[in-house]
Amino acid sequence: MAEAPDASNSGQPRYAAEMAGAIAREFRACPIGHHSAALASVLSKLRAGDVAGKYCLICVKPHAEWAIGVLSSQRGVPPRLADNRVFSSVEAAEWEIFKRRWAQAYGTALDDDRP
Amino acid sequence: MTGRETPAMKTLLGYADRISVPAGGEVAFKISSEDGRPYTARIVRLIHGDTNPAGPGYQDAEVPGAGWHLPGRRQNVRAGSCAIVPPAHALRALSSFTLNLFIWPTTPHKPDQVLAALWDTQRGAGFILRLHGTAGLMLQMGDGAGGAADILLPGTLLERHWYEVRAGFDAATRRAELRCIATKRQAGFAEPAKISHAVSIAGLGGPDAPFIIAARQSPDADFYQSFYNGKIEAPRLHGNDASRVMELDFSAGMASDVVRDISGNALHGRTWQKPTRAVTGHSWDGTEINFRHAPAQYGAIHFHDDDIDDAAWQTDFTWAVPHGLRSGLYAAHITSAEDEDYIPFVVRPASTSEAKLLFIVPTASYLAYANEHLALDAAIAELVHDHVPVFGPNDLYLAAHRELGGSLYDRHSDGSGIVTSSRLRPILNMRPKYQSWLGGTGSALWQLNADTHLLAWLEQVGIAFDCISDEDLDREGAAALRPYRCVMTGTHAEYWSTNMRDGLDRFRDEGGRIMHMGGNGLYWRIAFDPGGSGAIEVRRCEVGNGWITAPGESYHAFSGEYGGLWRRLGRPPQESVGVGFVGQGFDLCSHYRRLPASRDPRAAFIFAGVDDDIIGDFGLIGGGAAGIELDRTDPALGTPPNTLILARSEGHTANYLPTVEELLINYVNQAEISPVYGEMVFFETASGGAVFATGSIAWAGSLSHNGYSNNVAEITHNVVRRFLDPEPFRLPVTAQ
């Protein structure tokens, strides 16, 4: 289990939670583009890792629909779909992947409505 | 889409026998209908390959009278390389034999890798020497009359270590033997390993078969199988009474597919599917890094079970280019009930063409990226791009069908870099409508499809232009450019042979004008296959990308030239076009801000009607004209002193990082302290010519904004109009 994203290292859980919320909100508002140092640091952790099991996006309908895929790491075995969900924007799919990785890395779920 | 199925796989694939067709010439198309369904074909001139609804949308122009209804048939791509010596009397006459060779296995644990085979599949006659994974080395023999014998030398070979292997059979004593010894004492099998057995056969049955290195014939003898990964050097075959039968010297003819027998028996052969030549052999000691200076140390060939050079499909239809057809980028558009595909090619101009603008279709760069698998194979792809890679149906097909081969960024199944790329195979990312994970946000285009932004704009403004391919420029040099007043490069014309660079420089020095419309151009040296197949080779030395050359393997087999970046070869791109690659990012693009030099009277024609300070803060590629890969000036690398730096990009995301050759040492927050930016430049030449360079891949993606009415389109139009004007440019007084 990775350490919770607590930029202060202050040991104050409430402050850490607020920081985490701010980072998640920032990502949701702008998944691709200019990011704060705190978000960039979190993203580097979430986006690292081996090819096996790594999320990718699969374009289902050009410019219209995307699904989340999972890389196989085996030559000749294409990515599989993670599930049946289809997203109407790359940004929405990025947010879903961010939430899944966040939960896996930090053990806490992000709320869709109030991250 | 239901369940966990991925989107429908492609069912139509194809390629053409040529990438560029002269007026009046003929092009042959080779198609596979995976499900056997019939399909229709038509020829189209490609105009705008970008399907992004935020832009003009897909556009082509059908060529009248070029349509076909065709029955479908499946054609397979069969990858894997080997060397083949045709059947010969001296081989059929063998009853006893000794085979010596050096091997350097790269996947020693993989079962059933044939090192050499003289095997008559019909009669079970001859022998097969194979590396059988962890079991060891195996010699299998047959007498052609149902008698068979196997002997096994147990043990596991170490990966990437040299071994000398000897296999033999003596018909007189009916004994077979296998020996294996590492050429370096510390390697596995360091002590000589040997096994000798009495066997039940009395001869080899007169095998009527080719002698094959690194594979064997398939049982129906129509193809090859059991491919080996790794190097093989100096196979020497001795026969009855220890007579010399064949001694293959792989250091001869390394630029070709010829394999030479130096025994005097003329049992010459050929390689199949272009294994890698000009690689170090067992005796390479590092004292010489140029294979031409020490060919004896370069007597190896590196074979791969996924080498693919020529799919060798049957032709399904041909098209004779009508006389008078305008030059351009064309494609065969094939359509079935389930799928469609486009097979692009260039139609060269007729001698009567009056166009004064030439677009050099950067087909070498298309080949360099052909069928790339970076985001499927490399864990860092998402970090490099700072967003999640997106794959479409063509990517999924490539992921499932490795036999189509990879790009010059990918690695073979044994982890070694892919050094050659051929167009004689389906290339699924060299297509209109194709979106690439490399192309940033928005339209997400790369190479050919991104270049259609330029072609569509030229059609829109009604400027007559001709097209040639990189292959033409390599073959003909400046002669291919001389009929034109101005040449235009593509969005990412990155890969250049020496002939191509010589041709462009000569054109410029003779007064030609260059519009360098992309980013990271004139960057890697390549060599074209001197055999004329159109394949290109890259040796990624000094700095790598995807992989880096192994020590001692930095010279191209095709040309004998040292490889790497033109910058490191004494000819930085800045010398030719003013700017060169400095950094890249793959998320958002940004804008340029004009610099004081843009107000210089010399640049007045460029900015006529453009009052804005901010240029290109819009576009289909990443939302801006400046981005993806960025170039800038550097006087130390040859930017001419009269260069006007017209505008500079700014505001890039943290994903924009310097290229490694820009750094001698790294430090914390390097990119924040010295941010990456691109520069738009102009300079005149002493011979009345001139150069304009955008310094950005994304520029072309902004041309169509607002119905093609915007400052990027205006600047481009201003430049092309002046560059097509015969009035010579004059050097500023200070530069004379």
Side-chain angles (χ1 to χ4, degrees):
Chain A
M1 185 69 65
E3 200 177 319
D6 175 3
S8 70
N9 281 329
S10 65
Q12 297 175 41
R14 192 164 54 177
Y15 181 70
E18 285 171 7
M19 278 291 292
I23 288 168
R25 281 192 298 276
E26 182 192 345
F27 180 83
R28 193 178 189 191
C30 178
I32 302 170
H34 291 276
H35 293 147
S36 68
L39 173 55
S41 174
V42 167
L43 279 173
S44 295
K45 285 178 191 153
L46 299 186
R47 288 182 165 156
D50 294 338
V51 170
K54 200 173 189 115
Y55 289 123
C56 62
L57 291 179
I58 292 172
C59 183
V60 181
K61 284 186 187 165
H63 310 286
E65 291 183 4
W66 295 264
I68 295 174
V70 181
L71 296 178
S72 75
S73 84
Q74 288 175 272
R75 292 173 80 92
V77 179
R80 64 176 171 83
L81 287 179
D83 53 37
N84 296 334
R85 292 188 61 182
V86 172
F87 301 85
S88 59
S89 72
V90 165
E91 288 75 13
E94 284 266 4
W95 169 241
E96 178 63 24
I97 289 174
F98 184 86
K99 285 192 298 179
R100 291 181 188 198
R101 287 173 169 168
W102 181 288
Q104 200 173 6
Y106 305 124
T108 55
L110 293 171
D111 191 326
D112 245 346
D113 300 320
R114 285 189 303 110
Chain B
M1 189 173 63
T2 57
R4 296 169 74 87
E5 296 169 3
T6 48
M9 277 283 187
K10 282 196 68 59
T11 55
L12 276 179
L13 301 166
Y15 66 94
D17 67 337
R18 53 210 305 184
I19 194 85
S20 174
V21 195
E26 195 170 86
V27 57
F29 298 95
K30 295 134 190 300
I31 309 297
S32 177
S33 173
E34 304 281 285
D35 53 10
R37 288 174 194 251
Y39 59 92
T40 60
R42 63 183 189 129
I43 303 293
V44 297
R45 190 176 79 252
L46 296 174
I47 297 174
H48 194 260
D50 182 0
T51 56
N52 189 346
Y58 177 81
Q59 297 166 19
D60 65 30
E62 186 170 306
V63 176
W68 301 264
H69 292 278
L70 295 152
R73 61 168 163 181
R74 186 188 179 98
Q75 304 204 65
N76 296 314
V77 178
R78 295 188 280 197
S81 63
C82 56
I84 303 152
V85 175
H89 172 75
L91 299 173
R92 279 189 295 275
L94 287 175
S95 55
S96 301
F97 78 94
T98 305
L99 174 67
N100 290 278
L101 70 171
F102 295 95
I103 67 170
W104 190 78
T106 50
T107 55
H109 296 281
K110 179 186 157 189
D112 192 22
Q113 300 179 75
V114 171
L115 300 172
L118 175 65
W119 186 247
D120 186 329
T121 59
Q122 300 289 316
R123 298 172 43 245
F127 67 87
I128 300 173
L129 174 63
R130 58 162 60 93
L131 173 56
H132 205 50
T134 53
L137 286 167
M138 184 184 286
L139 177 63
Q140 173 190 348
M141 294 170 291
D143 63 7
D150 293 347
I151 66 168
L152 176 72
L153 179 59
T156 305
L157 302 188
L158 292 180
E159 183 182 324
R160 290 172 161 81
H161 282 266
W162 279 107
Y163 296 88
E164 183 169 13
V165 174
R166 176 171 160 175
F169 168 68
D170 184 341
T173 60
R174 296 197 179 192
R175 290 194 75 83
E177 70 160 351
L178 269 176
R179 295 179 189 221
C180 182
I181 180 169
T183 62
K184 288 184 180 173
R185 298 290 294 174
Q186 72 269 28
F189 274 1
E191 296 306 316
K194 175 184 172 184
I195 195 162
S196 176
H197 268 308
V199 293
S200 57
I201 60 170
L204 296 175
D208 186 16
F211 184 90
I212 303 173
I213 305 287
R216 53 168 290 197
Q217 279 189 316
S218 53
D220 54 6
D222 77 334
F223 205 66
Y224 311 105
Q225 65 173 50
S226 307
F227 294 99
Y228 160 78
N229 282 316
K231 294 178 184 177
I232 293 179
E233 182 177 9
R236 289 148 287 153
L237 184 65
H238 289 75
N240 315 337
D241 306 321
S243 56
R244 291 169 75 188
V245 174
M246 181 177 69
E247 294 182 20
L248 299 181
D249 178 8
F250 294 158
S251 74
M254 282 188 249
S256 72
D257 61 358
V258 172
V259 167
R260 196 165 299 161
D261 172 24
I262 57 170
S263 72
N265 293 330
L267 296 184
H268 309 303
R270 291 192 176 275
T271 60
W272 170 251
Q273 302 298 1
K274 277 197 176 48
T276 309
R277 305 188 73 165
V279 293
T280 54
H282 79 281
S283 63
W284 185 69
D285 60 9
T287 55
E288 185 55 69
I289 60 168
N290 183 337
F291 67 86
R292 289 180 301 166
H293 296 167
Q297 294 186 29
Y298 286 85
I301 292 179
H302 193 148
F303 298 92
H304 304 93
D305 63 6
D306 58 356
D307 274 321
I308 179 71
D309 174 56
D310 185 351
W313 285 1
Q314 300 296 308
T315 294
D316 289 89
F317 60 99
T318 59
W319 180 57
V321 179
H323 286 282
L325 187 77
R326 64 177 278 191
S327 172
L329 181 61
Y330 286 74
H333 180 209
I334 53 176
T335 314
S336 71
E338 302 291 319
D339 194 18
E340 67 171 354
D341 198 13
Y342 292 83
I343 303 159
F345 59 96
V346 171
V347 171
R348 296 193 64 181
S351 57
T352 53
S353 171
E354 295 181 349
K356 287 296 165 193
L357 175 67
L358 177 72
F359 181 71
I360 304 171
V361 184
T363 53
S365 296
Y366 299 169
L367 281 192
Y369 286 92
N371 293 347
E372 63 83 11
H373 293 72
L374 279 168
L376 290 164
D377 291 348
I380 62 165
E382 186 180 340
L383 289 166
V384 168
H385 284 222
D386 206 22
H387 55 114
V388 180
V390 182
F391 299 115
N394 287 22
D395 302 309
L396 298 180
Y397 189 93
L398 287 172
H401 292 272
R402 289 281 176 159
E403 69 275 13
L404 266 60
S407 72
L408 297 182
Y409 292 85
D410 295 311
R411 292 168 183 258
H412 288 288
S413 67
D414 71 355
S416 58
I418 296 179
V419 303
T420 60
S421 178
S422 163
R423 55 176 171 72
L424 298 175
R425 56 177 173 147
I427 298 174
L428 301 191
N429 59 352
M430 189 178 74
R431 298 287 185 261
K433 300 185 181 175
Y434 175 79
Q435 291 188 272
S436 168
W437 70 283
L438 286 160
T441 59
S443 294
L445 308 188
W446 195 252
Q447 291 291 358
L448 180 138
N449 207 10
D451 288 338
T452 69
H453 281 159
L454 290 168
L455 301 178
W457 175 78
L458 286 169
E459 300 250 358
Q460 174 72 21
V461 296
I463 294 172
F465 65 98
D466 289 339
C467 289
I468 63 166
S469 71
D470 283 345
E471 215 171 301
D472 302 317
L473 178 57
D474 176 76
R475 191 172 52 249
E476 299 167 22
L481 312 182
R482 281 201 186 99
Y484 301 92
R485 216 162 269 143
C486 176
V487 301
M488 186 179 275
T489 62
T491 55
H492 190 20
E494 181 180 8
Y495 287 79
W496 289 69
S497 69
T498 306
N499 283 349
M500 289 167 62
R501 290 225 44 200
D502 287 349
L504 187 72
D505 283 356
R506 190 160 303 148
F507 169 76
R508 191 198 66 171
D509 293 342
E510 290 174 357
R513 290 83 188 264
I514 300 170
M515 292 180 71
H516 186 49
M517 299 303 289
N520 188 1
L522 291 71
Y523 186 65
W524 286 103
R525 170 184 261 170
I526 53 161
F528 277 87
D529 175 12
S533 73
I536 60 169
E537 178 184 16
V538 73
R539 295 284 171 140
R540 292 196 192 281
C541 58
E542 301 190 15
V543 296
N545 195 333
W547 52 271
I548 191 165
T549 48
E553 298 182 0
S554 296
Y555 283 80
H556 295 89
F558 284 167
S559 65
E561 296 173 314
Y562 188 64
L565 302 183
W566 279 109
R567 165 179 175 147
R568 294 284 307 158
L569 294 163
R571 295 179 70 177
Q574 286 89 345
E575 279 189 5
S576 295
V577 293
V579 294
F581 183 44
V582 290
Q584 61 190 11
F586 297 91
D587 51 359
L588 302 184
C589 298
S590 189
H591 57 267
Y592 301 78
R593 184 180 295 277
R594 283 175 68 173
L595 297 177
S598 72
R599 316 283 175 186
D600 189 294
R602 290 160 54 207
F605 77 92
I606 300 172
F607 289 92
V610 178
D611 296 325
D612 310 324
D613 272 328
I614 301 297
I615 306 296
D617 53 342
F618 46 79
L620 297 172
I621 301 292
I628 309 293
E629 301 195 17
L630 295 170
D631 299 1
R632 64 170 163 78
T633 58
D634 189 338
L637 291 175
T639 300
N642 60 316
T643 300
L644 293 177
I645 305 175
L646 306 169
R648 185 171 285 157
S649 73
E650 62 185 22
H652 295 289
T653 66
N655 186 232
Y656 280 74
L657 297 168
T659 184
V660 291
E661 67 274 13
E662 282 282 296
L663 300 175
L664 290 178
I665 193 165
N666 215 335
Y667 45 90
V668 172
N669 294 333
Q670 186 280 338
E672 201 173 319
I673 295 162
S674 304
V676 163
Y677 54 84
E679 288 175 336
M680 184 199 308
V681 302
F682 164 75
F683 63 91
E684 310 89 342
T685 66
S687 47
V691 175
F692 170 81
T694 66
S696 160
I697 281 182
W699 179 271
S702 300
L703 288 166
S704 66
H705 179 73
N706 189 34
Y708 289 97
S709 177
N710 60 75
N711 52 31
V712 168
E714 196 58 40
I715 288 169
T716 310
H717 204 178
N718 287 340
V719 173
V720 75
R721 265 193 299 247
R722 175 63 184 91
F723 277 26
L724 290 175
D725 184 336
E727 173 70 20
F729 283 91
R730 289 184 172 77
L731 283 179
V733 175
T734 51
Q736 285 175 350

